[in-house]
Amino acid sequence: MSAPEINPADYEAALADIRIRLGDDAVLTGEAAHEFRDPYDPLDESHYPAAVVQPSTVEEVQAVVRAAARHGVPLWTSSQGRNNGYGGSAPVIGGTIVVNLRRMDRIEIDEELGLAVVEPGVRFFDLVEELRRRGNRWWTSAPSLGWGSVLGNTADHGFGYTEYGDHAAHVPALEVVLPDGSLLRTGMWASSASRAPHPRGFGPNVTPLFLQSNLGIVTKLARPLTPRPEVYAPLTIKAPAAADVGPLVDAMRILTTEGTITNIPNLTTALGAAAMRKPRDEWYDGGVPIPDDVYQQMCEELALGWWNCVAALYGPAAVVQARLARVREVVREHVPDAEVTVKMISGSEIDDEIESLTHREALQAGRPSLVMLETAKWRGEDGGHLEISPIGRATAQDVQRMIEILRPVVEAEGYDFWPSLYVIKRSMMFLCVLNYDRFDPESIAAAYRVARRAYPALAKAGYLPYRGNIRVMDMMQDQFDWNDHAIRRFTELLKDALDPAGVLSPGKQGIWPERFRSLRQSD
Amino acid sequence: MSAPEINPADYEAALADIRIRLGDDAVLTGEAAHEFRDPYDPLDESHYPAAVVQPSTVEEVQAVVRAAARHGVPLWTSSQGRNNGYGGSAPVIGGTIVVNLRRMDRIEIDEELGLAVVEPGVRFFDLVEELRRRGNRWWTSAPSLGWGSVLGNTADHGFGYTEYGDHAAHVPALEVVLPDGSLLRTGMWASSASRAPHPRGFGPNVTPLFLQSNLGIVTKLARPLTPRPEVYAPLTIKAPAAADVGPLVDAMRILTTEGTITNIPNLTTALGAAAMRKPRDEWYDGGVPIPDDVYQQMCEELALGWWNCVAALYGPAAVVQARLARVREVVREHVPDAEVTVKMISGSEIDDEIESLTHREALQAGRPSLVMLETAKWRGEDGGHLEISPIGRATAQDVQRMIEILRPVVEAEGYDFWPSLYVIKRSMMFLCVLNYDRFDPESIAAAYRVARRAYPALAKAGYLPYRGNIRVMDMMQDQFDWNDHAIRRFTELLKDALDPAGVLSPGKQGIWPERFRSLRQSD
């Protein structure tokens, strides 16, 4: 998709203004900008950025936004641009100028309260390193890949694996450049003097308005940290049968809702671990689906169950022991054949023990890595992936229903059914991974056919998406259809009021400014 | 304050339209409307409503909003109208039509997930009763007085005493009538089919935009419930010295941040309990402050410490015991002379044991009452009160500083310094209660002098308000001053975009529609 109504001369004029203000080295074009294409669909020219600009300060972000508004040229924001399953830094409208915020990388830590304030360029790796440098008194929450932006992940409604793993739910305050180039601070930061990390200020809380949003460019946000526990106890629950998934979800909902497990349990099949060991064709040279007996052998070789759940307990040894007994009780009740294993690690020795932990165990202690990148190589070295990620009620009945809907659609297009489930107390995020060869347009097209068939079918049954790739954002937003798409009409009313020139990330999450609304792809 | 630009004939025309649509009995005027004045400042004519309308359905709320917009007549919303310290149902602009939602009182309970969906007329008493009728499998969070609206309290950023005590932080979805009379549902409710109580939908989360807000009239919202625990263990921590408050706040911050205590601890002096026993002049017939030796006698007679903290533990017996040991350890470390006592109550027998519990102990199990109303009688039978309620970082240093700022201002106007502190993990709400005779204009004026002196002084030191009385909302919003009041300018931009006729609750939280902006009272 491109925006034919933008005159190339306006782009040039905007970039010229930006060069004068930010310096030539802050503007990337040609090959230098290739990194900011969608890494998992590199041949798709329709979403190539025209150029990339890299401001170093808030004032420079303001200058970029003002230049864009002056010349009527749309921008697209990325922090690190590592949300690869969703498009990386690639804009919805091809030919847009990408504002990449990697150069803004300051971290502040409030050691007394356990709070991090980060700029968009701060990666999870950077935050972990800063906390380590300070003695590891506080731990962060992180997604599996540590190279991404803490702020970017949070702003995109991303998830991690700790108590604060629902990152967007735990942002007390942020700073944002509005579409007119002015600056706003939210929550208690809306006062000159407050340093209280209260969840909101006085009057309507507008912080969440800038997450998964094109209403501003977030330049700083606050996030709580977890105190280092006396004992860190990662759990593994192996369930032997395919049908165990429902009762396992029930058990995790009960345990998280009652507060016995305080982080976000993750349920997976063996495919992720299998992919980290070797590519698909070394496990099985046939088509889809992998037969049950082959899958069973895979589980045995990897010492995994049919379903595998990780979660963790944190706290004083006695509290962890008491909680563990309760976990065993609830799991036994719901999934009698499941096996629960646990490691007990001293919180203060976590970094010495890190080698003895699996990557998932490290992750629940807020230590991300890059090992999960290996899983993309399931179909060959040049792997890419697309995620289908609906949210459902966290119940046995709902997870079964989601599988019934998703699996046939996925397999009909030649993909392995590869679920990863996150139990977020009462709701469940059902991540379904489609791994393909990123230089093979046909399998990429097949992946998008899955998305276009699966989402409407899921939505009809009550399972709506939480996040989406730039190519299908309109279709995903379409699913929120109550009262003739009241939510989209409302959000676009806000968009038009705040961004009359339509410059900030048009089309993001299916929200279009009036000026570009004709570009919406209605299915 | 009144709105002289509204023609009385327009009010009459709007009310006539509303009578036709809702029926005569849905419109209260004259004496029937007196109940909806500010109960704690009944003589202040400047905030009397012109009339009260009581819709029974969402469609009727829509009809009322449309009639108001058609005739350009402002409305003010109340659910039950029991937030008495903040004005009850009284509007900022006198002569406004109050939309009172008591007639909308449906409750739905999702027994599997532990979720309540309530309309505005549902009181905490009603919700508790409904849960009891269903076997008490789930408990609610509630503020001390049970007569108020669950939805109204949540929408006003009110607090309770359980894990979900920060009510506004736990609203997955709501339904709202917009200023144009149209209906919006937020979160996952923005789809026709979803029943997942996920904290947000796809794109910017607009749910919080309608809490402590005049951007819509909330007609329904969802709230999580707490599972009945095996053991409910209310704690009392008595600290002997005035100086113990700081270390006690530190201890509570540490215990809540690490997850040992999962509810919201509340620290009080003896004044509340003293007021429930008998009025001030029976304790002490002198002026302010009550001398330390008299206060000490009061504590002894009431068997209280100088500072008294309540909190609670919930869960399996072994988990509760292990947590209790950790509570004792942290309290001993920070406040060596404090005494920790605990009751162990079977969660399933809570209602049989209720008589043996103090009202605070019942409250942390989600059982509110009306006994706290007695405290308003400190200065006589016709008691009323005003609250000063800044938010600070939950640290010893900050609580001391807040006391240093507040106490002299309060006492200079002849009030007893009456603090009640809520530790909400990293932040602390400092509720300072001013009890007066509600028919004595001079002591009411003195209370507002306290507010007008205290808030700016507090704000300068970093302590900003969380909620406020209708008479001082402008002054409170003024304190959020960063970047020339960017937050107010931003929120009013939203207000003008959504409510061009300026009909919904003008002036609420200091947010004014363009039409009435000249009524803002700048200090």
Side-chain angles (χ1 to χ4, degrees):
Chain A
M1 188 189 308
S2 64
E5 54 262 61
I6 310 289
N7 185 334
D10 292 336
Y11 273 110
E12 286 313 314
L15 285 175
D17 283 7
I18 291 168
R19 277 196 176 90
I20 290 168
R21 181 67 177 74
L22 275 62
D24 282 344
D25 74 327
V27 179
L28 311 178
T29 54
E31 275 206 33
H34 286 191
E35 183 190 347
F36 299 89
R37 295 175 177 178
D38 183 349
Y40 288 164
D41 197 352
L43 303 179
D44 178 8
E45 296 182 17
S46 63
H47 296 281
Y48 284 176
V52 178
V53 303
Q54 296 189 304
S56 300
T57 63
V58 175
E59 292 74 21
E60 289 186 357
V61 175
Q62 293 180 275
V64 169
V65 170
R66 288 186 176 127
R70 195 157 52 236
H71 299 286
V73 168
L75 303 174
W76 183 266
T77 308
S78 79
S79 296
Q80 282 291 334
R82 299 294 188 197
N83 52 341
N84 290 354
Y86 301 104
S89 287
V92 169
I93 302 181
T96 303
I97 296 174
V98 166
V99 183
N100 176 267
L101 303 171
R102 285 186 195 169
R103 291 185 176 186
M104 296 174 64
D105 60 358
R106 275 183 305 185
I107 307 176
E108 292 163 48
I109 305 293
D110 182 330
E111 285 280 351
E112 192 170 15
L113 299 191
L115 197 79
V117 175
V118 291
E119 289 187 337
V122 176
R123 303 170 309 157
F124 285 98
F125 284 147
D126 303 323
L127 179 54
V128 170
E129 189 48 42
E130 177 63 17
L131 293 171
R132 191 175 283 139
R133 199 184 65 74
R134 290 165 169 269
N136 267 333
R137 183 173 162 199
W138 297 99
W139 295 4
T140 183
S141 175
S144 41
L145 299 174
W147 63 359
S149 158
V150 177
L151 184 153
N153 173 283
T154 307
D156 218 29
H157 292 182
F159 280 89
Y161 294 78
T162 73
E163 174 189 1
Y164 299 117
D166 183 0
H167 296 158
H170 298 284
V171 181
L174 55 77
E175 177 186 83
V176 59
V177 176
L178 296 175
D180 66 358
S182 70
L183 259 189
L184 176 71
R185 288 187 184 167
T186 68
M188 286 294 168
W189 287 359
S191 89
S192 302
S194 177
R195 294 188 302 129
H198 197 64
R200 67 201 84 83
F202 188 74
N205 177 18
V206 301
T207 302
L209 215 51
F210 299 104
L211 307 177
Q212 211 174 79
S213 164
N214 56 11
L215 302 176
I217 296 180
V218 181
T219 48
K220 189 158 91 172
L221 63 71
R223 272 166 56 102
L225 302 165
T226 311
R228 176 184 58 222
E230 181 186 314
V231 170
Y232 167 59
L235 300 168
T236 304
I237 305 165
K238 296 180 194 175
D244 289 335
V245 64
L248 201 48
V249 165
D250 277 344
M252 291 303 116
R253 182 193 69 248
I254 291 166
L255 289 165
T256 53
T257 303
E258 73 181 24
T260 299
I261 290 177
T262 56
N263 75 335
I264 298 185
N266 180 215
L267 284 69
T268 53
T269 61
L271 290 186
M276 287 206 273
R277 179 81 57 96
K278 55 194 183 191
R280 185 180 196 277
D281 56 13
E282 291 183 35
W283 289 104
Y284 177 63
D285 60 4
V288 156
I290 295 171
D292 282 2
D293 60 326
V294 175
Y295 180 76
Q296 195 66 63
Q297 277 179 340
M298 192 186 276
C299 293
E300 277 162 32
E301 192 173 327
L302 296 163
L304 290 171
W306 194 288
W307 283 97
N308 305 277
C309 177
V310 294
L313 305 171
Y314 312 76
V319 175
V320 167
Q321 287 295 355
R323 282 176 167 167
L324 178 59
R326 173 65 180 159
V327 170
R328 291 190 191 281
E329 178 185 50
V330 173
V331 170
R332 195 161 47 232
E333 200 176 301
H334 286 81
V335 203
D337 295 332
E339 181 196 343
V340 179
T341 55
V342 65
K343 292 180 187 169
M344 294 281 178
I345 295 153
S346 158
S348 57
E349 288 161 20
I350 185 79
D351 285 320
D352 305 329
E353 298 290 335
I354 208 92
E355 297 299 322
S356 73
L357 300 180
T358 67
H359 76 98
R360 283 176 187 282
E361 289 168 343
L363 206 45
Q364 293 174 100
R367 271 83 182 157
S369 64
L370 292 179
V371 300
M372 281 283 281
L373 284 176
E374 293 300 307
T375 64
K377 298 180 181 167
W378 187 236
R379 294 285 192 169
E381 277 298 310
D382 284 318
H385 56 86
L386 179 70
E387 267 87 41
I388 312 293
S389 44
I391 298 266
R393 299 166 88 244
T395 75
Q397 196 185 334
D398 288 276
V399 70
Q400 290 293 5
R401 187 84 189 94
M402 289 164 95
I403 291 173
E404 281 164 27
I405 296 169
L406 263 168
R407 182 164 193 157
V409 180
V410 167
E411 292 182 346
E413 293 290 353
Y415 283 98
D416 292 309
F417 180 59
W418 188 320
S420 178
L421 316 179
Y422 294 79
V423 178
I424 310 149
K425 293 194 172 176
R426 293 163 181 81
S427 62
M428 181 184 54
M429 202 241 292
F430 193 124
L431 203 74
C432 179
V433 186
L434 308 175
N435 277 306
Y436 53 69
D437 176 336
R438 65 201 181 99
F439 292 107
D440 174 7
E442 177 39 41
S443 45
I444 295 177
Y448 283 94
R449 281 198 300 275
V450 171
R452 288 178 184 284
R453 279 188 56 204
Y455 276 117
L458 287 162
K460 210 174 149 190
Y463 310 118
L464 278 289
Y466 99 100
R467 193 176 180 189
N469 186 286
I470 51 160
R471 291 170 187 78
V472 284
M473 282 176 172
D474 282 342
M475 179 270 289
M476 296 172 84
Q477 181 62 249
D478 270 350
Q479 309 311 317
F480 291 81
D481 61 344
W482 189 80
N483 190 17
D484 189 21
H485 304 273
I487 192 72
R488 183 167 66 202
R489 289 184 286 117
F490 179 79
T491 314
E492 292 190 342
L493 193 159
L494 298 185
K495 178 69 176 166
D496 290 340
L498 293 170
D499 186 9
V503 291
L504 292 193
S505 299
K508 181 169 167 60
Q509 249 65 34
I511 301 305
W512 290 91
E514 209 222 327
R515 179 175 167 213
F516 295 114
R517 209 159 284 154
S518 62
L519 297 178
R520 170 145 53 224
Q521 299 185 310
S522 278
D523 281 343
Chain B
M1 192 189 307
S2 64
E5 54 262 64
I6 310 288
N7 184 334
D10 292 336
Y11 273 111
E12 285 313 314
L15 285 175
D17 283 8
I18 291 167
R19 278 197 176 88
I20 290 167
R21 181 68 178 74
L22 275 62
D24 282 343
D25 74 328
V27 179
L28 311 178
T29 53
E31 274 205 33
H34 286 190
E35 185 190 347
F36 299 88
R37 296 176 176 176
D38 182 349
Y40 288 166
D41 195 354
L43 303 181
D44 177 9
E45 296 182 18
S46 63
H47 297 280
Y48 284 176
V52 177
V53 303
Q54 295 189 303
S56 298
T57 64
V58 175
E59 293 73 19
E60 289 187 357
V61 176
Q62 294 179 274
V64 169
V65 170
R66 287 186 177 125
R70 196 159 51 238
H71 298 287
V73 168
L75 303 173
W76 182 267
T77 309
S78 78
S79 296
Q80 283 289 336
R82 298 294 188 196
N83 51 342
N84 290 354
Y86 302 105
S89 288
V92 168
I93 302 182
T96 305
I97 296 174
V98 166
V99 184
N100 176 267
L101 303 169
R102 286 186 194 168
R103 290 185 176 186
M104 297 175 65
D105 60 357
R106 274 182 305 185
I107 306 176
E108 292 164 45
I109 304 294
D110 183 329
E111 285 279 350
E112 192 170 13
L113 299 191
L115 198 79
V117 175
V118 291
E119 290 186 337
V122 176
R123 302 170 309 155
F124 286 97
F125 284 146
D126 302 323
L127 179 55
V128 169
E129 189 49 42
E130 176 63 18
L131 293 171
R132 191 176 283 140
R133 199 185 63 76
R134 290 164 170 269
N136 266 334
R137 184 174 161 201
W138 297 100
W139 295 4
T140 184
S141 175
S144 41
L145 299 174
W147 63 0
S149 159
V150 178
L151 184 151
N153 173 282
T154 306
D156 217 30
H157 292 183
F159 280 87
Y161 294 78
T162 73
E163 174 189 2
Y164 299 118
D166 182 0
H167 297 157
H170 299 284
V171 181
L174 54 78
E175 177 186 83
V176 58
V177 176
L178 296 176
D180 66 356
S182 70
L183 259 189
L184 176 71
R185 288 186 184 167
T186 69
M188 287 292 168
W189 286 0
S191 90
S192 301
S194 177
R195 293 189 303 129
H198 197 63
R200 66 200 85 83
F202 188 73
N205 177 18
V206 302
T207 302
L209 215 51
F210 299 104
L211 308 178
Q212 211 174 79
S213 165
N214 57 10
L215 301 174
I217 296 180
V218 181
T219 48
K220 189 157 89 169
L221 63 72
R223 273 166 55 103
L225 301 165
T226 310
R228 176 184 56 221
E230 181 186 314
V231 170
Y232 167 59
L235 299 168
T236 304
I237 304 166
K238 295 180 194 175
D244 289 336
V245 63
L248 200 48
V249 165
D250 276 345
M252 291 303 115
R253 183 193 70 246
I254 290 166
L255 288 165
T256 53
T257 304
E258 74 181 23
T260 299
I261 290 176
T262 56
N263 76 335
I264 297 186
N266 180 214
L267 285 69
T268 51
T269 60
L271 291 187
M276 286 205 275
R277 180 80 57 93
K278 55 195 184 192
R280 186 181 195 274
D281 56 11
E282 293 184 33
W283 288 103
Y284 177 62
D285 60 5
V288 157
I290 295 172
D292 282 4
D293 60 325
V294 175
Y295 180 75
Q296 196 65 60
Q297 275 179 341
M298 191 186 277
C299 293
E300 276 161 34
E301 190 172 330
L302 296 163
L304 289 171
W306 194 287
W307 283 96
N308 305 276
C309 176
V310 295
L313 305 171
Y314 311 77
V319 173
V320 167
Q321 288 295 354
R323 283 176 167 168
L324 178 59
R326 173 64 180 160
V327 170
R328 290 189 191 281
E329 178 184 47
V330 173
V331 170
R332 198 162 44 233
E333 202 176 297
H334 286 79
V335 202
D337 295 332
E339 182 195 343
V340 179
T341 55
V342 65
K343 291 180 188 170
M344 295 280 178
I345 296 153
S346 159
S348 56
E349 289 162 19
I350 186 78
D351 285 320
D352 304 329
E353 297 290 336
I354 208 91
E355 297 297 324
S356 73
L357 300 180
T358 67
H359 76 98
R360 284 177 185 280
E361 289 168 344
L363 206 45
Q364 294 174 98
R367 271 82 183 157
S369 64
L370 290 180
V371 299
M372 282 282 282
L373 283 177
E374 294 299 308
T375 65
K377 298 180 182 167
W378 187 237
R379 295 284 191 168
E381 276 299 308
D382 284 318
H385 56 85
L386 179 70
E387 268 86 42
I388 312 293
S389 46
I391 299 265
R393 300 165 87 244
T395 75
Q397 196 185 334
D398 287 277
V399 71
Q400 289 292 5
R401 186 87 190 92
M402 290 164 94
I403 291 174
E404 281 165 24
I405 296 169
L406 263 168
R407 182 162 192 160
V409 179
V410 167
E411 292 183 344
E413 293 290 353
Y415 282 99
D416 292 309
F417 180 59
W418 186 321
S420 177
L421 316 180
Y422 293 79
V423 177
I424 311 148
K425 292 195 174 176
R426 293 163 181 81
S427 62
M428 181 184 55
M429 201 240 295
F430 193 124
L431 202 76
C432 179
V433 186
L434 309 176
N435 277 305
Y436 53 69
D437 177 335
R438 67 202 179 97
F439 291 108
D440 173 8
E442 176 41 40
S443 46
I444 295 178
Y448 283 95
R449 281 197 300 273
V450 171
R452 291 181 183 279
R453 278 187 59 202
Y455 276 117
L458 288 162
K460 209 174 151 191
Y463 310 118
L464 279 290
Y466 100 101
R467 195 176 180 189
N469 185 285
I470 50 160
R471 290 169 188 79
V472 283
M473 283 176 170
D474 284 340
M475 180 270 289
M476 296 172 84
Q477 181 63 251
D478 270 350
Q479 309 310 318
F480 291 82
D481 61 344
W482 189 80
N483 191 16
D484 190 22
H485 304 273
I487 192 71
R488 181 168 67 202
R489 287 184 286 117
F490 179 80
T491 313
E492 291 190 343
L493 192 158
L494 300 184
K495 178 67 177 167
D496 289 340
L498 293 169
D499 186 8
V503 291
L504 292 193
S505 299
K508 183 171 163 59
Q509 250 63 35
I511 302 303
W512 291 90
E514 208 223 326
R515 179 174 167 214
F516 294 115
R517 209 158 284 155
S518 62
L519 298 178
R520 171 146 50 226
Q521 298 186 309
S522 279
D523 281 341

